[in-house]
Amino acid sequence: MHPILLMAGFGLVVLASVLVAPRRASVEGFFGGMQETGRAPGLWVLVLSQVTTWIFARSLMNVAILGYFYGIWGVLAYAAYYGSFLTGGLIVDRLREGGAGSVQDWLQARFGAVGVTAYNVVIALRLLSEVFANLLVVGLIFGAVLPDTGLAHPAAIVTVAVLGLAYSAWGGLSASLRTDVVQMVIFLVVFLAALLALVTAPGFEIGAVLTAEGTSGAWNGQVLLLVAFLQVFSYPVHDPVMMDRGFIADRATTRAAFLHAFWISTLCIIGFGFFGIQAGLAGAEYEGQLLGTWAAMFPAWVFAALMLSLLVSALSTLDSALASAARLVVEELRLAPRSLGAGRVAMLAFMGLGAALTLWGNQSLFDAVAVSGTASMFLAPVLVVGLIMGREVALWAYLVAFGVAMLGAVAYFARDGLFAAILPEAHKYEQLLLICIAVLVTGFAAVLTGARQRA
């Protein structure tokens, strides 16, 4: 019965999203998020939008899988990335204090076109990975609930891609902000119902969950926690969805929004991780992305609620990623005039590429986080020295930090191929930790060498 309920519930979410999207689209609303009255979004619109775009389907699946294998340490490792709201809020406030209207503005003033281009390459890859990963989860969900229907996986991906593109392309960022609020409220209701069912179930013990070491032991979860701490300063800056929302309201509202988004999203991600931990404690066998495991563990309505919460988060992140993609192509890269048509074409291109990558067959989820997080680490020394310390950083030093970070990302991605002979024989997360340390040490060495006091 739950496949029908799931599809009906998701259909209602899509319908609600279409109904709350703005009826009239304007260029300022499409790219800048302005309401029809010309006002910036309020505090809780911004908070709920930030939270729902960061509690995306890939993250929910990742934290549950890490909780299954590495227990509470795996969950804490992934939750540590949500400290990005604190570091990202600090960086946005410092940028705005200096008069910058975006990360690109700040980079342009210090490193010119070369510096901005390097940054835009990273965030374009990030946006593409967001579309790909969330569509991938959609395909996995429908493949799990309709296992006997061979076309369920590709049909679901194409359907959600088309529906998400339809209302996103109508209103851009203003549509994304408004639908985020509705989608976040629905997500919280559905998710909290499932969480309540979990914690009140006879076999659930909070003490066991909080001390669980997972089916594979706690060590790799602890390693990932260290990786998260190394990446958490730079990680938010390469996420244009978060950064775009940092420049559309006044500074006081923005600071409060980042703070509230931090504690709400962190609690939600830890709560969702409990489902993975409990699956490990119950001795359930791991079946493809944990979905098959949950289907066997929980009552049909709980499983359907979990799947619906994943679908809602996927839809929310897709529309936000598309809005940021349009802004990147039109306002930052200036590849097309600032018009509704140009923004919609950019959205279509990113959705098409992301769907193609998903249908191609790649199934990796956490690797996308690890690769993009490593690539973003060139920003850490540049922002610490250039923004926080207020020193001038030479262009060559910026490019060295960028080159090393990209090399590190490629090394992790090709750890079983081209870089297998260079990396030590160890678990992939231990290899990732060593790569991150090498990237940061080299990047800071270059930036500090090429830094001088601002005249």
Side-chain angles (χ1 to χ4, degrees), residues 89-167:
L90 170 65
I91 291 166
V92 164
D93 200 58
R94 289 295 184 93
L95 289 172
R96 295 184 65 169
E97 184 180 32
S102 66
V103 178
Q104 286 93 336
D105 280 354
W106 188 82
L107 292 174
Q108 176 71 46
R110 285 154 182 79
F111 306 110
V114 174
V116 172
T117 300
Y119 174 74
N120 284 337
V121 166
V122 173
I123 66 171
L125 292 174
R126 164 76 177 183
L127 286 170
L128 190 58
S129 77
E130 289 307 297
V131 176
F132 149 73
N134 284 282
L135 286 178
L136 173 60
V137 174
V138 168
L140 291 170
I141 290 170
F142 280 97
V145 299
L146 296 169
D148 299 324
T149 307
L151 293 177
H153 182 277
I157 290 171
V158 173
T159 301
V160 173
V162 171
L163 291 173
L165 179 63
Y167 77 81

Side-chain angles (χ1 to χ4, degrees), residues 14-186:
V14 173
L15 178 61
S17 300
V18 172
L19 290 176
V20 300
R23 301 273 72 82
R24 299 174 61 186
S26 67
V27 172
E28 288 304 319
F30 194 95
F31 293 104
M34 294 296 105
Q35 300 176 13
E36 293 173 351
T37 59
R39 297 177 60 187
L43 172 62
W44 286 102
V45 171
L46 204 55
V47 170
L48 294 176
S49 180
Q50 288 275 40
V51 172
T52 191
T53 52
W54 259 60
I55 304 179
F56 38 88
R58 179 180 69 183
S59 284
L60 296 175
M61 284 303 303
N62 276 333
V63 73
I65 292 168
L66 292 175
Y68 177 86
F69 284 113
Y70 312 121
I72 192 64
W73 287 102
V75 172
L76 292 176
Y78 207 85
Y81 279 101
Y82 288 77
S84 294
F85 281 112
L86 300 180
T87 55
L90 170 65
I91 291 166
V92 164
D93 200 58
R94 289 295 184 93
L95 289 172
R96 295 184 65 169
E97 184 180 32
S102 66
V103 178
Q104 286 93 336
D105 280 354
W106 188 82
L107 292 174
Q108 176 71 46
R110 285 154 182 79
F111 306 110
V114 174
V116 172
T117 300
Y119 174 74
N120 284 337
V121 166
V122 173
I123 66 171
L125 292 174
R126 164 76 177 183
L127 286 170
L128 190 58
S129 77
E130 289 307 297
V131 176
F132 149 73
N134 284 282
L135 286 178
L136 173 60
V137 174
V138 168
L140 291 170
I141 290 170
F142 280 97
V145 299
L146 296 169
D148 299 324
T149 307
L151 293 177
H153 182 277
I157 290 171
V158 173
T159 301
V160 173
V162 171
L163 291 173
L165 179 63
Y167 77 81
S168 300
W170 179 255
L173 184 55
S174 61
S176 176
L177 289 166
R178 291 174 67 165
T179 56
D180 283 348
V181 174
V182 173
Q183 291 159 359
M184 187 62 199
V185 171
I186 295 172

